[in-house]
Amino acid sequence: MLLDIHTHHLSQPYDTAIINGCMYGSPIPEEAVYISAGIHPWYLTEENLPLQQRWLIDKLEDSRTIALGESGLDKLCSTPFHIQEEAFSFTCRQAEQYHLPLIIHAVKSYNEIIAFKQKIHPTIPWIIHGFRGKKELAQSLVKQGLYLSFGAKYQPEALASVPSNTFLLETDESSIDIKTLYRQAADIRNVTAESLQGSLQKTINSLFFNL
């Protein structure tokens, strides 16, 4: 199964993607088989935070929810940073309580994300989605126990440099097919598509399905 671990578009077959949604962003299609739900910093205010927290708790009761996020910290958006931190802390606690992987939106905020991780000591996986950083940053984040998810745009050297059991693939907002991303990643890592699919499937199974 070529699972797209983070997308805002409904794919067919429906069980080949984790559809991401938030209260004020992309709606979650009824047809989705797997979903993730988060409090996105772009759509966050001090006034709507309580509503979004209740919405997230409601989504935790949805049997399709196999991850939380995307949630995180973004220094380029207009939302006050302390509100972002409050929402992210809340989401981290829910991820721990419900034992769900956390898909993280991080923009100019890796130091703060790492600080949160060192403070919380999470027992569940944290996944940086849409990673576009350089090889050195990728290796540093992986050494600190984070997983990286690569989308349509990334630094090839970063993808080639991390261990096969520490990264995932996603389409996010792009129109590119997940199969194309798998083929491109296999070429960059100089492995067969079948080998890459096998290694990523093991990671997917362990992160999202406890297999």
Side-chain angles (χ1 to χ4, degrees), residues 14-39:
Y14 297 141
D15 63 352
T16 59
I18 302 175
I19 306 297
N20 174 257
C22 63
M23 184 175 180
Y24 293 104
S26 305
I28 299 175
E30 293 183 2
E31 300 92 337
V33 175
Y34 305 122
I35 68 174
S36 63
I39 302 175

Side-chain angles (χ1 to χ4, degrees), residues 1-196:
M1 177 174 64
L2 299 177
L3 188 70
D4 182 351
I5 73 104
H6 181 86
T7 184
H8 300 274
H9 304 297
L10 189 65
S11 305
Q12 289 194 0
Y14 297 141
D15 63 352
T16 59
I18 302 175
I19 306 297
N20 174 257
C22 63
M23 184 175 180
Y24 293 104
S26 305
I28 299 175
E30 293 183 2
E31 300 92 337
V33 175
Y34 305 122
I35 68 174
S36 63
I39 302 175
H40 198 296
W42 290 0
Y43 313 114
L44 180 61
T45 67
E46 186 170 8
E47 291 74 24
N48 71 31
L49 176 57
L51 294 174
Q52 296 210 54
Q53 290 173 329
R54 289 196 290 271
W55 178 88
L56 187 65
I57 290 173
D58 180 65
K59 286 294 175 285
L60 286 166
E61 302 302 321
D62 190 325
S63 62
R64 300 175 298 165
T65 303
I66 63 171
L68 289 188
E70 64 187 283
S71 297
L73 304 173
D74 187 333
K75 288 187 175 179
L76 296 185
C77 78
S78 61
T79 304
F81 203 70
H82 74 281
I83 301 299
Q84 295 186 44
E85 290 179 313
E86 184 177 350
F88 184 58
S89 177
F90 174 82
T91 307
C92 292
R93 294 196 302 272
Q94 300 308 309
E96 282 294 302
Q97 180 177 342
Y98 286 84
H99 305 288
L100 293 173
L102 180 60
I103 298 174
I104 297 174
H105 173 101
V107 178
K108 306 290 185 182
S109 59
Y110 289 113
N111 289 339
E112 289 80 4
I113 295 293
I114 293 302
F116 262 96
K117 191 172 188 295
Q118 292 173 344
K119 178 180 179 181
I120 294 172
H121 299 291
T123 61
I124 51 88
W126 283 20
I127 305 161
I128 302 292
H129 105 87
F131 182 76
R132 299 187 186 185
K134 295 182 178 181
K135 175 179 71 174
E136 293 77 13
L137 177 58
Q139 293 173 336
S140 174
L141 293 173
V142 165
K143 285 180 181 178
Q144 296 181 76
L146 292 160
Y147 292 82
L148 305 179
S149 182
F150 295 87
K153 297 180 180 179
Y154 54 83
Q155 301 284 339
E157 296 82 5
L159 176 61
S161 72
V162 295
S164 60
N165 63 344
T166 62
F167 78 93
L168 300 154
L169 296 173
E170 64 175 73
T171 62
D172 196 16
E173 293 278 13
S174 72
S175 59
I176 193 169
D177 186 88
I178 191 66
K179 294 180 181 179
T180 300
L181 290 182
Y182 269 77
R183 288 195 297 269
Q184 292 174 347
D187 289 342
I188 289 169
R189 293 180 65 86
N190 196 28
V191 298
T192 66
E194 292 76 14
S195 173
L196 180 74

